[in-house]
Amino acid sequence: MSINLKFGKMKIIYRILLSITALALLTFTSCLDDSVMDTEVTRFDESPNMVDFNEKPNSDGFIVRSFEGTTDPTYAQETSFRVNLSSRYQLDYDLTVTVEYDQAAADEYAAENAGWVSLDPAKQDFTTATVTIPAGEREANFTVNFYTEGLSADDQIIAAYSITTTDDPDVVISGNFGTQYVRVVVANVFEGSYTADIDWFYGGGGNYGGLYDDWQLVTASSTSCTMDYF
């Protein structure tokens, strides 16, 4: 079987030939940490209200934030992260959640993964903040400014942000997604939104198929990208 993919970004058309052998759905059950949960939940209506980060990581355990390259050490580039309430119903009161920059978690990730280093805390401006999820809603954002002078698209730099407390003791912090690991990287020239026009041909009888879809390519290195969340 042969597959022909045509990617269009703005007015430039990229033709990419790929050989695809399998597309597997990845699960994270082997690396999930449920140590904060000391009871077995057998009914959903009895499960606790929980807070977590709602951007789920890739198979390496992190999300990606990519920025412009710069030679100006004072040039700040803002991004946001979202805290999520996982519960059967929305709450009828405001919920305050404390989030901290977690240098220890970033250092541990770097120590356990060869070639990685933790982000210099001076490269971002966040230490701790309280985030309020309003009554009747499930999400709230907090923002972080990054300073990317001296960084490149080939860096493997990890940052980490952790939910540390809530003002309601009945709302627990997720043991699986209570820490958000973030790869901080300078975007390469290929990163961006693409339209994929995919045609494939197989067999000897002229069988073929097609797919038209939008893909987001995210920097993996100075010369390569991955599809977001894969």
Side-chain angles (χ1 to χ4, degrees):
M1 179 177 70
S2 65
I3 300 178
N4 183 24
L5 290 86
K6 293 174 284 184
F7 290 86
K9 183 181 181 184
M10 296 184 294
K11 296 183 179 180
I12 302 174
I13 303 299
Y14 297 94
R15 298 184 63 88
I16 303 175
L17 299 178
L18 300 179
S19 174
I20 299 177
T21 58
L23 183 61
L25 178 64
L26 301 176
T27 61
F28 307 103
T29 55
S30 63
C31 60
L32 297 183
D33 175 13
D34 290 314
S35 59
V36 299
M37 304 298 293
D38 57 4
T39 59
E40 180 180 358
V41 177
T42 58
R43 291 177 51 184
F44 183 68
D45 60 354
E46 294 177 348
S47 62
N49 295 330
M50 182 177 297
V51 288
D52 55 25
F53 289 98
N54 77 339
E55 285 187 80
K56 298 306 181 249
N58 62 19
S59 59
D60 292 316
F62 58 81
I63 64 172
V64 178
R65 288 291 190 270
S66 52
F67 304 94
E68 296 177 38
T70 180
T71 58
D72 182 356
T74 67
Y75 180 48
Q77 300 184 68
E78 181 181 290
T79 190
S80 64
F81 302 100
R82 184 172 298 120
V83 175
N84 179 67
L85 170 67
S86 298
S87 62
R88 188 182 183 195
Y89 302 109
Q90 293 99 327
L91 302 179
D92 60 2
Y93 56 88
D94 292 350
L95 177 69
T96 299
V97 178
T98 302
V99 181
E100 296 181 0
Y101 180 68
D102 195 336
Q103 187 65 47
D107 290 343
E108 182 178 7
Y109 185 99
E112 293 177 352
N113 293 273
W116 286 80
V117 296
S118 56
L119 181 72
D120 179 352
K123 290 291 187 181
Q124 55 92 60
D125 68 352
F126 187 91
T127 52
T128 184
T130 56
V131 181
T132 299
I133 301 175
E137 299 185 19
R138 293 188 181 276
E139 300 175 344
N141 292 346
F142 66 95
T143 60
V144 181
N145 288 304
F146 287 90
Y147 303 91
T148 60
E149 182 269 334
L151 305 186
S152 79
D154 290 313
D155 289 330
Q156 297 187 92
I157 297 175
I158 200 76
Y161 301 86
S162 291
I163 301 170
T164 56
T165 64
T166 72
D167 66 348
D168 182 345
D170 293 327
V171 178
V172 301
I173 300 167
S174 171
N176 297 334
F177 301 112
T179 296
Q180 186 86 88
Y181 293 93
V182 185
R183 183 189 180 198
V184 181
V185 67
V186 171
N188 66 28
V189 296
F190 308 107
E191 179 172 310
S193 298
Y194 289 76
T195 297
D197 184 4
I198 307 173
D199 299 308
W200 61 86
F201 305 87
Y202 55 93
N207 299 310
Y208 66 92
L211 174 67
Y212 184 84
D213 202 1
D214 293 328
W215 289 357
Q216 180 72 26
L217 298 188
V218 178
T219 297
S221 71
S222 58
T223 58
S224 63
C225 287
T226 61
M227 284 188 292
D228 204 6
Y229 302 115
F230 277 70

